[in-house]
Amino acid sequence: NIRLMILVSNQVITWVAYEILRQPNTAARAKAIGRAIQLAQALFDRKNFNGLKEVTAGLALSSIQRLKKSWAAVKPKTKQMYTELTDKCDNMQSLRILAQSSAPPLVPYLGVYLTDLVFIEDGNPNTFEEDGMTLINFRKMSIMGEVLMEISSFQHDPYSFFKFDDLYNYLLYLETHTDTDLYNMSVVAEPRKK
């Protein structure tokens, strides 16, 4: 499930950028940027912090950030909303606090917990020697269990949404676009100054 979630996260990040870059002109790209920011706000309001991070990461890609004309055409109020959202999720600690201070249902940013698990795994041996015996490091296992229990605690209260089959199928089969492809689209949309 973790690998699938990482794959989906990458698809969402590049989908956000692609939807902006496929627009035919500056005004349409500005509108698409605004819609992505509104989506990020809706995800924040619904406590889907993983989705929030995905959308803001898509907006932060260099292929999107370099679109100076498009960003200039985004409404100031919408740009302010974007700044406030990115401030709320700009580091692991703020994302951890968001999850821990919110009541379920919620979707935490998975990267926080994956980072914790990697540090626990890499920083602690599985076994240790004591009195000539090899013992299992139960402390390490206990710490990992605490992290997994915290993740599990977010799954107790489900969201209540209606399923829209067309939207579901569209999102289920999102393409992943390469950074190179997105950057090339960006240069076509707003050519480099010579």
Side-chain angles (χ1 to χ4, degrees), residues 66 183-184 187 190-194:
R66 67 172 297 284
Y183 195 81
N184 289 339
V187 171
E190 289 188 21
R192 293 184 193 120
K193 292 184 180 180
K194 296 179 182 180

Side-chain angles (χ1 to χ4, degrees), residues 44-101:
F44 176 79
D45 293 343
R46 286 158 184 80
K47 299 180 281 190
N48 182 339
F49 304 124
N50 202 71
L52 166 66
K53 189 67 176 167
E54 291 165 349
V55 174
T56 58
L59 288 164
L61 290 175
S62 61
S63 57
I64 301 303
Q65 287 296 305
R66 67 172 297 284
L67 299 173
K68 303 300 181 205
K69 294 176 187 173
S70 299
W71 278 99
V74 175
K75 295 176 184 175
K77 184 176 177 181
T78 304
K79 283 195 264 191
Q80 178 62 32
M81 182 189 308
Y82 176 65
T83 300
E84 291 170 7
L85 287 167
T86 55
D87 287 348
K88 292 174 184 174
C89 68
D90 67 346
N91 62 58
M92 294 291 193
Q93 185 61 23
S94 59
L95 287 160
R96 181 185 308 279
I97 290 168
L98 275 174
Q100 292 174 341
S101 63

Side-chain angles (χ1 to χ4, degrees), residues 1-182:
N1 286 343
I2 290 174
R3 286 189 180 131
L4 179 60
M5 198 157 178
I6 291 168
L7 173 68
V8 170
S9 289
N10 290 333
Q11 288 173 322
V12 171
I13 291 166
T14 62
W15 167 75
V16 168
Y18 178 78
E19 286 299 316
I20 293 165
L21 293 168
R22 73 183 191 92
Q23 302 305 314
N25 56 53
T26 300
R29 283 188 295 279
K31 189 173 182 179
I33 290 170
R35 284 194 309 265
I37 294 168
Q38 290 170 346
L39 174 59
Q41 182 65 55
L43 290 165
F44 176 79
D45 293 343
R46 286 158 184 80
K47 299 180 281 190
N48 182 339
F49 304 124
N50 202 71
L52 166 66
K53 189 67 176 167
E54 291 165 349
V55 174
T56 58
L59 288 164
L61 290 175
S62 61
S63 57
I64 301 303
Q65 287 296 305
R66 67 172 297 284
L67 299 173
K68 303 300 181 205
K69 294 176 187 173
S70 299
W71 278 99
V74 175
K75 295 176 184 175
K77 184 176 177 181
T78 304
K79 283 195 264 191
Q80 178 62 32
M81 182 189 308
Y82 176 65
T83 300
E84 291 170 7
L85 287 167
T86 55
D87 287 348
K88 292 174 184 174
C89 68
D90 67 346
N91 62 58
M92 294 291 193
Q93 185 61 23
S94 59
L95 287 160
R96 181 185 308 279
I97 290 168
L98 275 174
Q100 292 174 341
S101 63
S102 299
L106 67 95
V107 180
Y109 175 56
L110 186 61
V112 169
Y113 299 96
L114 291 178
T115 300
D116 289 349
L117 291 170
V118 167
F119 278 117
I120 294 165
E121 176 64 29
D122 292 348
N124 299 283
N126 289 330
T127 59
F128 62 93
E129 297 292 324
E130 187 175 294
D131 298 329
M133 296 174 57
T134 302
L135 302 173
I136 295 172
N137 186 349
F138 282 105
R139 178 71 183 131
K140 174 183 177 178
M141 303 308 161
S142 175
I143 295 168
M144 290 183 102
E146 289 171 15
V147 172
L148 295 172
M149 290 292 288
E150 185 172 342
I151 295 169
S152 174
S153 72
F154 298 127
Q155 298 175 351
H156 292 296
D157 297 319
Y159 282 99
S160 179
F161 293 122
F162 293 106
K163 181 180 174 186
F164 295 97
D165 288 331
D166 289 343
L167 178 61
Y168 176 81
N169 290 326
Y170 175 77
L171 294 173
L172 190 62
Y173 298 105
L174 286 179
E175 292 180 40
T176 301
H177 302 278
T178 68
D179 289 336
T180 302
D181 290 342
L182 293 171

